[in-house]
Structure formats: C-alpha cells, structure tokens
Amino acid sequence: MITRSVTIEDIDELYLMWNDHINASALYRRALREEMAVRDVDPDELRDLFERAREQGYSKDEIVAETNRYADLKTLVDDAEE
C-alpha cells in the first residue's frame, strides 16, 4: 500500500488530537466510497477489475497510464480476456 499525504486544516487536526481514537484513514476511505457512489462505481467491482488487470500482467503504473476512469479499466480487462 502507498501512503499519500493529505492536507488537513488546523481545526481538523485539533479535533483529531482531541479524539485520538478516530481512525482518520477510515474517514478518508469512507469519503472516497461516497465519491464512488455518486459516480455509480461499486468499490467491490472496481477491486475485482483491478485484481483481474493485475492477474493479466498489468502493473499498477501501467493501469494508471492506460486508464483514467472505471469504464477504461473495464475495457482494458475485457479486451485482454478476448
């Protein structure tokens, strides 16, 4: 897994410091899932497509270079299976 930097406001940091039991990574992932839902992307299907592309020999960097949305990844995987 790659760790990414996320910029938070001072008030966010303060709140997290007060509530150190809150898992900020989980909040981030939940927000991403909400964004996926808005765009009708099922995270389980996305994970499956990603794993299938990896099984087909694509590296993550190649997947990123050749796709920029869910439909592109689906096409990449489907084309490789034909």
Side-chain angles (χ1 to χ4, degrees), residues 8-67:
I8 62 173
E9 293 184 27
D10 286 340
I11 61 168
D12 301 332
E13 184 177 15
L14 175 62
Y15 190 78
L16 288 172
M17 291 173 81
W18 285 344
N19 297 282
D20 60 357
H21 64 281
I22 293 176
N23 182 336
S25 293
L27 293 174
Y28 177 77
R29 287 190 306 276
R30 185 181 318 150
L32 286 175
R33 296 304 183 269
E34 289 171 5
E35 286 297 315
M36 288 179 192
V38 167
R39 290 160 179 76
D40 294 324
V41 173
D42 181 313
D44 294 327
E45 290 176 11
L46 180 59
R47 178 175 286 116
D48 179 59
L49 283 173
F50 180 72
E51 289 173 1
R52 286 170 48 198
R54 297 291 300 266
E55 289 169 0
Q56 293 170 354
Y58 290 99
S59 70
K60 185 172 58 173
D61 290 338
E62 290 170 326
I63 295 168
V64 169
E66 296 185 33
T67 65

